[in-house]
Amino acid sequence: MRSRIEDVATAAGVSMKTVSRVLNNEPNVREETRNRVMRTVEQLKYKPNLSARSLAGQRSYIVALVYNNPSRNYLMEIQGGMLEACRAHHYNLILAPVGSGKRTADDIKGLFENFGPDGVVLIPPLTDDNVVLSYLEEHEVPFACIAPRNPRDRIGVMMEETAAVLELMAGLIELGHRRIGHIKGPRAHGACQWRYAGYREALRKAGIAYDADLVTQGEFSFESGMSGANVLLDLTQPPTAIFAANDDMAAGVIRAAGERGLAVPRDLSVCGFDDTPIARHIYPALTTVRQPTSEMGRLATLELFDRIRTPDAGRMVHVEHTLLFRESTRPPKKR
């Protein structure tokens, strides 16, 4: 027979309300009591009934990852971190794609009409989408943001991306590269601006003149990385290195170079950003900046849970980056 919350309370010698507070990770429960309840939950193999919890607390015990991002690798990393937090807090996670333009309002409205999540985590570019933000604020829906362009008065998690690109570019320049191409991300995406700013600042610090021909627009997709690489490699004086604003586009650069008979890194150095699995799975392994994407998903979800429990709780957490020089970069060959 399935164990009930009453059974857990009796065996642990506490009230059902205390069991509920422990399972919901609510504050003001003594650590000794919390540990005793959790041991009892494991011993009795008790599984919370989400439907009953929802009826009792007027919550759905669902959170949503709301996204409009073409990078599957980035999305999967965020999702993995969110799932870890949801399991620990006995929540369900749903994925909620939101379209662009006229579809945005209908999609976000449909999410709440169909599923009624207790809160949402937003990833770029929706972290700064006025339609989405206005809906959430108007309906007083708790939300956390990952890498918002305007972090003021927001909760969630972010990283100093401009500083990370400065380090990456400094490494390329130290190798001897002077003509460094850049494939930007989507214009509405905060990362596009931060990573482009790091690119320009690194050139300025090194005394290298900015050349607009070496910069092209991308969309954070593999295909846009190939297109951007072809634009840059068609130049009369092509770059000796290309910094793509994410790993998916950098993988596209390597593919485009290979189709031209260029070897990476012998003929062209390539680097990306994020350190999603593709950076380690392709050959040569990609030089990139490790953004702790999965951990960012987990931390943003924890801040969201705090905001769901207490309207004024939650904060903007800052995480550190790691620079990873791998096989895709080397000094430029002499021409």
Side-chain angles (χ1 to χ4, degrees), residues 98-169:
V98 170
S100 303
K102 294 180 180 179
R103 283 184 52 196
T104 304
D106 290 339
D107 287 347
I108 194 73
K109 181 180 178 182
L111 166 65
F112 287 92
E113 289 179 346
N114 294 323
F115 299 100
D118 294 334
V120 302
V121 170
L122 303 175
I123 63 173
L126 295 181
T127 50
D128 300 290
D129 187 289
N130 288 330
V131 173
V132 173
L133 294 174
S134 295
Y135 182 94
L136 297 175
E137 290 169 351
E138 179 183 345
H139 292 83
E140 298 182 341
V141 176
F143 66 94
C145 297
I146 293 178
R149 194 167 63 222
N150 300 309
R152 186 177 179 181
D153 300 325
R154 300 282 182 240
I155 68 167
V157 61
M158 62 187 303
M159 190 182 82
E160 298 299 330
E161 300 188 26
T162 298
V165 173
L166 270 168
E167 289 185 28
L168 179 66
M169 287 285 294

Side-chain angles (χ1 to χ4, degrees), residues 172-173 175-182 199 208 214 232-233 235-243 253 257 262-271 328-335:
L172 288 176
I173 292 167
L175 287 173
H177 293 281
R178 293 297 179 271
R179 285 189 65 76
I180 303 172
H182 177 47
Y199 169 81
I208 300 172
L214 288 173
L232 296 174
L233 295 173
L235 294 172
T236 303
Q237 288 185 283
T240 62
I242 294 177
F243 161 50
V253 172
L262 300 175
V264 175
R266 185 192 67 197
D267 302 312
L268 177 71
S269 287
V270 180
C271 51
S328 66
T329 47
R330 60 176 287 182
K333 71 176 185 179
K334 297 178 181 179
R335 293 180 177 176

Side-chain angles (χ1 to χ4, degrees), residues 21-290:
R21 291 175 65 191
V22 170
L23 293 175
N24 289 328
N25 284 306
E26 294 181 8
N28 301 321
V29 178
R30 293 174 58 190
E31 196 62 28
E32 179 186 349
T33 302
R34 189 182 300 275
N35 292 336
R36 185 166 74 252
V37 170
M38 290 309 297
R39 284 197 300 270
T40 306
V41 166
E42 292 179 10
Q43 290 167 0
L44 297 181
K45 295 182 171 57
Y46 172 69
K47 301 293 182 185
N49 185 319
L50 292 178
S51 297
R53 290 171 73 201
S54 177
L55 289 171
Q58 295 185 326
R59 293 182 186 173
S60 64
Y61 289 91
I62 294 171
V63 293
L65 169 55
V66 180
Y67 68 95
N68 179 2
N69 190 308
S71 174
R72 295 188 185 92
N73 287 290
Y74 178 82
L75 182 63
M76 288 178 62
E77 290 279 294
I78 294 292
Q79 177 185 339
M82 289 189 66
L83 280 170
E84 183 180 343
C86 285
R87 289 193 203 100
H89 287 253
H90 308 288
Y91 257 80
N92 284 324
L93 172 67
I94 60 172
L95 300 182
V98 170
S100 303
K102 294 180 180 179
R103 283 184 52 196
T104 304
D106 290 339
D107 287 347
I108 194 73
K109 181 180 178 182
L111 166 65
F112 287 92
E113 289 179 346
N114 294 323
F115 299 100
D118 294 334
V120 302
V121 170
L122 303 175
I123 63 173
L126 295 181
T127 50
D128 300 290
D129 187 289
N130 288 330
V131 173
V132 173
L133 294 174
S134 295
Y135 182 94
L136 297 175
E137 290 169 351
E138 179 183 345
H139 292 83
E140 298 182 341
V141 176
F143 66 94
C145 297
I146 293 178
R149 194 167 63 222
N150 300 309
R152 186 177 179 181
D153 300 325
R154 300 282 182 240
I155 68 167
V157 61
M158 62 187 303
M159 190 182 82
E160 298 299 330
E161 300 188 26
T162 298
V165 173
L166 270 168
E167 289 185 28
L168 179 66
M169 287 285 294
L172 288 176
I173 292 167
E174 187 176 347
L175 287 173
H177 293 281
R178 293 297 179 271
R179 285 189 65 76
I180 303 172
H182 177 47
I183 305 176
K184 300 169 70 176
R187 291 181 178 88
H189 203 305
C192 168
Q193 300 178 28
W194 295 325
R195 297 173 195 182
Y196 176 57
Y199 169 81
R200 294 205 61 169
E201 179 63 10
L203 294 178
R204 187 194 67 77
K205 284 190 169 184
I208 300 172
Y210 173 75
D211 184 348
D213 289 340
L214 288 173
V215 178
T216 187
Q217 191 66 49
E219 295 298 328
F220 277 168
S221 65
F222 177 90
E223 293 75 15
S224 70
M226 289 189 66
S227 300
N230 285 323
V231 169
L232 296 174
L233 295 173
D234 279 341
L235 294 172
T236 303
Q237 288 185 283
T240 62
I242 294 177
F243 161 50
N246 80 338
D247 293 339
D248 283 12
M249 292 195 299
V253 172
I254 292 176
R255 174 63 183 266
E259 289 183 351
R260 290 168 173 259
L262 300 175
V264 175
R266 185 192 67 197
D267 302 312
L268 177 71
S269 287
V270 180
C271 51
F273 198 104
D274 288 332
D275 195 36
T276 53
I278 195 172
R280 304 182 292 277
H281 294 166
I282 60 174
Y283 181 81
L286 188 63
T287 291
T288 189
V289 172
R290 174 176 292 162

